[in-house]
Amino acid sequence: MWKKACFARAMSLGIACTLVFCGCSGKYGKEKGQEVLTEDAHGQQDKDAVEDTKERVMAEKAKEKAAPEKTVDEPEIIKKDWSEYFGGLNGAAVLYDPSLRRFLIYNEELAAARRSPCSTFKIISSLIALENGVIEPENATRAWSGEVFWNESWNRDIDFREAFRASCVWYFREIINETGPELIQKELDRLGYGNCDISDWEGRLNTNNNNRALTGFWIESSLTISPKEQTEVMARIFGEGSAYSEASREELKKVMLVEEETEVPIYGKTGMGKTEGIVVDAWFTGFAKKEEENIYFCVYLGRTDGGNVSSAAAKEIAIRLVSGYFS
């Protein structure tokens, strides 16, 4: 009996211990499972947060892409009636004052129309040649071929300063050939010079002249520019922040200075082009300087039936306009 009682008691204690152990195990397993569930929940939250961040970043980028680009304020344009200066000639005039950030424009439609620059391009070809050592001012003479040209002043060996003032086409035809199309194109692109088109390098589109010594892409050919663009190019060359050396610009100023007495120094270059013997383009473009203030100008005359269209007339109009602006 005693043995049976002891066995029963032992069995009772073992069952109790087992129950206690199992109860502990159940409790532990529950807590551990809860911990795992909690970790999974946090992981999902982190993933959701990352996805939300990605979506916000993508939304911001899309918004920036859709937003219009910020642009620098364009200069003011003021229309002017300067018809009295033109005396019935078909033409346009542009004055650009960077200190006031404004254009004064007569005949806005024509001022925006691109035409052949003709000999005003000698400002550009001179600048490029000076800047790149093709022209060395003190050693810039080119030999005359012996061919007799219509302009007597061209029929001799001639240096840079004389060639610029005489607008000697054969001289600058040689200078442009020496400079080469690759460098010319690079500089025109940098200046934003009209349509920058030098594709007719030899000037074969110019039906007015078959003499290749007197033709080129800048004479009634592939290259064109508007009067307004002419003033902008002058500002890029002679204004603040110019990409060109002071030495090159000073040398250009020497040859561009007009010989007429004016209230302020005026620097410029004429240009004139013909088609079938009729003047269709006449120019005078450049800049004027008063103390430290520059203004840039261009006067253009187009074909006018019965009118005396010439580069001399364009120059006269420009000098009067510029002088009046400073008075």
Side-chain angles (χ1 to χ4, degrees):
M1 291 292 292
W2 180 82
K3 284 183 179 180
K4 287 181 179 179
C6 287
F7 179 77
R9 185 175 177 81
M11 287 295 291
S12 176
L13 288 169
I15 291 168
C17 288
T18 302
L19 290 170
V20 171
F21 177 78
C22 289
C24 290
S25 295
K27 183 179 180 182
Y28 175 77
K30 186 178 180 181
E31 290 175 351
K32 185 70 174 176
Q34 184 64 40
E35 184 179 336
V36 171
L37 288 172
T38 303
E39 286 177 355
D40 289 344
H42 282 309
Q44 187 61 44
Q45 288 174 356
D46 291 342
K47 287 180 181 178
D48 291 343
V50 169
E51 289 301 319
D52 288 345
T53 302
K54 285 182 178 178
E55 289 179 5
R56 284 198 301 271
V57 170
M58 290 175 69
E60 288 296 327
K61 286 184 177 179
K63 191 184 293 183
E64 289 174 4
K65 191 174 181 179
E69 294 183 4
K70 294 181 179 178
T71 57
V72 177
D73 290 340
E74 292 293 327
E76 179 185 14
I77 293 178
I78 300 175
K79 297 180 182 180
K80 301 292 289 185
D81 181 6
W82 286 327
S83 55
E84 61 182 288
Y85 290 95
F86 285 78
L89 295 176
N90 175 35
V94 182
L95 294 182
Y96 173 49
D97 189 333
S99 67
L100 299 176
R101 289 190 57 73
R102 72 180 184 187
F103 286 96
L104 305 180
I105 299 180
Y106 167 66
N107 197 342
E108 191 172 14
E109 183 178 355
L110 191 57
R114 286 175 172 171
R115 296 291 302 171
S116 171
C118 304
S119 286
T120 63
F121 188 72
K122 291 183 175 71
I123 297 173
I124 310 305
S125 53
S126 298
L127 173 69
I128 298 170
L130 286 164
E131 193 76 357
N132 291 279
V134 177
I135 291 177
E136 297 176 359
E138 304 307 323
N139 186 28
T141 299
R142 297 296 187 271
W144 175 43
S145 67
E147 180 180 356
V148 177
F149 299 106
W150 64 269
N151 190 324
E152 184 60 35
S153 64
W154 299 355
N155 297 327
R156 58 190 173 91
D157 295 354
I158 193 167
D159 67 19
F160 166 61
R161 296 182 181 111
E162 294 170 322
F164 191 96
R165 292 195 176 280
S167 204
C168 181
V169 177
W170 71 257
Y171 180 94
F172 284 94
R173 175 73 265 184
E174 288 192 11
I175 293 300
I176 285 172
N177 285 341
E178 291 171 28
T179 305
E182 184 176 341
L183 186 51
I184 294 285
Q185 187 68 68
K186 176 184 174 182
E187 294 295 348
L188 292 190
D189 291 341
R190 176 159 70 156
L191 282 167
Y193 192 89
N195 67 355
C196 300
D197 185 356
I198 63 170
S199 59
D200 186 31
W201 181 259
E202 293 186 353
R204 294 184 182 277
L205 294 177
N206 183 351
T207 58
N208 197 61
N209 198 326
N210 293 321
N211 186 337
R212 296 301 163 223
L214 302 180
T215 60
F217 58 85
W218 67 98
I219 306 174
E220 299 302 327
S221 185
S222 59
L223 184 65
T224 58
I225 189 169
S226 73
K228 183 172 180 286
E229 288 172 326
Q230 288 265 35
T231 63
E232 292 167 341
V233 168
M234 291 300 104
R236 291 184 195 118
I237 295 171
F238 297 104
E240 292 183 6
S242 173
Y244 298 94
S245 69
E246 185 177 354
S248 296
R249 287 179 287 139
E250 285 301 315
E251 192 61 41
L252 257 183
K253 287 168 65 176
K254 290 177 185 176
V255 293
M256 288 174 64
L257 182 62
V258 302
E259 297 174 346
E260 293 88 338
E261 290 187 9
T262 56
E263 295 180 13
V264 296
I266 295 177
Y267 306 83
K269 181 72 186 75
T270 55
M272 190 167 70
K274 296 180 179 181
T275 297
E276 297 178 354
I278 298 172
V279 176
V280 292
D281 297 306
W283 301 86
F284 187 62
T285 190
F287 71 100
K289 187 177 184 67
K290 185 176 184 180
E291 298 175 353
E292 297 304 312
E293 181 182 359
N294 278 4
I295 67 157
Y296 305 91
F297 65 83
C298 181
V299 168
Y300 170 80
L301 299 177
R303 179 170 180 169
T304 308
D305 293 337
N308 181 25
V309 177
S310 67
S311 57
K315 181 178 179 180
E316 180 184 348
I317 293 169
I319 289 174
R320 290 173 61 201
L321 282 173
V322 171
S323 298
Y325 184 80
F326 280 113
S327 62

